[in-house]
Amino acid sequence: MLASGVVTGFGNVEESKAVKQPSVMPTAEAKPFPIYDLHVHLSPTQTAQQVVEKAEKNGIQMFGLIINPGRSEDRGRNDDSLLRFINEVKDLPCYMGLQPMEMGWSAYLSKELIEKADYIIMDPQTIRNSNKYGDTSNAWRYDCYIPDTEEFMKINVEHYLKVINNPEPLNIFGWPLYLPPAIAPLYLRLWTKERMEQIIEAARNRGIAFEINDLARTPHTEFILMAKKAGVKFVFGSDTRDHRTFRLDYCKQVASLCGLTEDDFYIPVRKKR
């Protein structure tokens, strides 16, 4: 829960009363956490050069431009698209990342191009067979149909673990704990300690970081403190492609509340391209 009484991750007001305010503060010797954004997209209204200018204006120390790689089996077309993106950003003072949308994505790209990325971020929002009707659900959509909440959470957690344990390259797990709008008010009840522990343990074993997503306002303080205790790293992400890029208010607020410091963050290594 934030100092204002607003629960992170779409928790409702009634449930917020049960959440304790974290009292973790960094020590005097601890280094402050970095102000950076590893989840920025280009778009018709936002060019790479505009992002560079925004970073300087907003005092962003580091940022990463990412692309969603193709999901078709046309490797040639996907490689061409990725190569254009690499050439567009390779000389800029930024990281370059990939954000695949579904498992199996690496089969549609050349290994040589995948290896040029500084990091891979993937979220669990595309869920196959998400209900008894066999729907492929997109968790961010209002029409994500959930006839049985507990059954969905069972499927959802299993999907999280599949994404984390998938043998394809992965450095960052994005949008952790986000729930579809239909069940978002039940956030604090549905994300039980047991469920969160499964996800955190899997990420710790895989050696990947969790994204603190400013757009979704997830995850919440309890999850962050649990992951921090387990030694899992974090990154900030605005997940934007327009004038909202580098809005990191939630990220900074929740990181301060949880006493995160520089040592708690994953910093990619920029590759030569």
Side-chain angles (χ1 to χ4, degrees):
M1 184 173 69
L2 303 183
S4 63
V6 179
V7 174
T8 71
F10 300 99
N12 64 25
V13 175
E14 290 302 314
E15 288 179 312
S16 72
K17 297 175 182 178
V19 181
K20 293 182 178 180
Q21 176 77 16
S23 57
V24 179
M25 295 296 291
T27 64
E29 297 80 17
K31 297 180 181 178
F33 52 79
I35 305 300
Y36 71 143
D37 188 347
L38 292 185
H39 201 152
V40 179
H41 295 273
L42 301 181
S43 71
T45 61
Q46 178 162 273
T47 66
Q49 188 56 45
Q50 286 174 328
V51 176
V52 172
E53 293 169 1
K54 288 180 183 180
E56 183 176 353
K57 180 180 178 180
N58 288 277
I60 299 298
Q61 301 161 0
M62 301 173 285
F63 67 93
L65 294 172
I66 63 176
I67 185 175
N68 302 117
R71 284 179 276 179
S72 75
E73 297 184 17
D74 187 347
R75 173 176 287 182
R77 185 177 65 186
N78 291 332
D79 281 355
D80 288 345
S81 177
L82 178 53
L83 186 58
R84 285 195 299 272
F85 178 73
I86 292 171
N87 288 332
E88 184 177 4
V89 306
K90 67 179 182 179
D91 295 324
L92 299 178
C94 66
Y95 294 107
M96 191 276 282
L98 302 180
Q99 185 191 13
M101 301 301 291
E102 295 188 59
M103 291 178 285
W105 63 273
S106 62
Y108 307 144
L109 291 165
S110 297
K111 181 180 179 181
E112 294 76 13
L113 290 181
I114 295 174
E115 290 177 346
K116 291 183 181 295
D118 299 320
Y119 60 92
I120 312 293
I121 178 172
M122 187 171 179
D123 62 56
Q125 293 195 84
T126 301
I127 313 164
R128 294 188 180 276
N129 296 309
S130 65
N131 56 36
K132 64 182 180 181
Y133 300 106
D135 291 348
T136 294
S137 295
N138 299 126
W140 67 89
R141 292 176 58 96
Y142 280 87
D143 60 357
C144 178
Y145 192 67
I146 304 174
D148 186 317
T149 302
E150 287 298 323
E151 181 64 21
F152 172 81
M153 288 303 297
K154 178 182 177 182
I155 293 170
N156 194 33
V157 172
E158 290 174 353
H159 177 60
Y160 269 56
L161 298 178
K162 288 178 182 177
V163 171
I164 293 173
N165 293 319
N166 180 33
E168 294 175 295
L170 183 65
N171 306 105
I172 303 165
F173 188 86
W175 285 64
L177 303 195
Y178 178 83
L179 290 178
I183 59 173
L186 305 176
Y187 180 96
L188 293 174
R189 177 165 67 81
L190 295 179
W191 280 120
T192 63
K193 184 177 180 180
E194 180 182 6
R195 285 168 174 156
M196 292 190 292
E197 285 176 340
Q198 290 183 67
I199 298 164
I200 291 169
E201 179 66 11
R204 185 187 69 80
N205 291 338
R206 179 84 193 266
I208 62 175
F210 285 123
E211 177 186 47
I212 300 177
N213 188 289
D214 198 80
L215 186 64
R217 296 177 66 86
T218 62
H220 62 353
T221 52
E222 182 182 2
F223 181 87
I224 292 172
L225 290 173
M226 289 171 62
K228 173 182 166 68
K229 184 176 181 180
V232 180
K233 303 290 187 180
F234 304 92
V235 305
F236 286 166
S238 65
D239 195 1
T240 48
R241 60 190 78 224
D242 52 30
H243 65 281
R244 297 171 295 174
T245 291
F246 301 140
R247 287 187 182 181
L248 298 170
D249 298 74
Y250 174 75
C251 295
K252 291 184 285 188
Q253 189 175 21
V254 77
S256 294
L257 285 172
C258 293
L260 300 187
T261 68
E262 183 179 67
D263 292 340
D264 295 308
F265 285 80
Y266 162 70
I267 306 297
V269 175
R270 191 177 181 199
K271 298 178 181 178
K272 292 183 178 179
R273 287 184 278 274

